[in-house]
């Protein structure tokens, strides 16, 4: 919910912090990367669960982007799955993207002169 910041001007780091966490407060201490053995996305439909370079473990009280994260508590998400949930509120891919991958024909506008 961005209403509390209406009319505010944010620098890029503050904007990103609020977008990602839903708060302007910095986390202390800095989150350490997950141990090697935990770096695997637990979302069953993830295309590359162990190929990412950033993994996020979702805690029971996780807050970011105004989303409800409690159903994902205890899960580890790769950056791609995390961003999808953050932006769309779901881990499922859109049907449009899946149809393109499965041989669907992209929409093309033909221009004649």
């Amino acid at each position: 919910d961005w209403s509390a910041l209406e009319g505010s001007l944010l620098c890029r780091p503050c904007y990103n912090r609020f977008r990602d966490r839903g708060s302007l407060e910095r986390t202390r201490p800095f989150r350490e990367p997950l141990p090697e053995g935990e770096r695997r996305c637990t979302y069953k439909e993830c295309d590359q669960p162990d190929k990412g370079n950033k993994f996020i473990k979702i805690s029971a009280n996780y807050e970011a982007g105004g989303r409800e994260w409690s159903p994902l508590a205890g899960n580890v998400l790769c950056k791609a799955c995390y961003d999808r949930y953050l932006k769309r509120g779901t881990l499922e891919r859109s049907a449009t993207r899946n149809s393109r991958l499965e041989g669907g024909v992209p929409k093309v506008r033909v221009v004649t002169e």
Side-chain angles (χ1 to χ4, degrees):
D1 179 23
W2 292 82
S3 61
L5 297 174
E6 186 175 349
S8 298
L9 180 63
L10 300 176
C11 63
R12 177 64 62 184
C14 289
Y15 170 83
N16 289 339
R17 186 178 308 122
F18 193 83
R19 182 195 66 203
D20 294 346
R21 300 184 193 141
S23 169
L24 289 175
E25 292 183 29
R26 294 181 178 187
T27 55
R28 292 283 182 219
F30 179 75
R31 281 187 287 200
E32 293 293 321
L34 290 176
E36 191 70 34
E38 291 184 41
R39 293 181 196 173
R40 180 170 178 81
C41 186
T42 57
Y43 176 52
K44 63 182 178 184
E45 301 294 323
C46 182
D47 286 338
Q48 298 180 332
D50 54 355
K51 297 290 184 195
N53 60 357
K54 183 174 182 183
F55 295 88
I56 299 97
K57 187 166 189 168
I58 309 300
S59 63
N61 58 349
Y62 195 83
E63 293 181 13
R67 298 285 181 201
E68 177 60 42
W69 294 86
S70 59
L72 299 173
N75 284 288
V76 174
L77 299 177
C78 64
K79 180 76 167 124
C81 291
Y82 174 87
D83 285 345
R84 187 178 313 117
Y85 191 84
L86 182 70
K87 292 175 185 172
R88 299 185 190 142
T90 182
L91 288 170
E92 295 179 18
R93 288 202 172 100
S94 66
T96 308
R97 182 183 183 280
N98 288 337
S99 66
R100 278 186 269 151
L101 290 176
E102 295 168 3
V105 178
K107 294 180 181 178
V108 177
R109 191 176 92 174
V110 178
V111 178
T112 57
E113 292 185 45

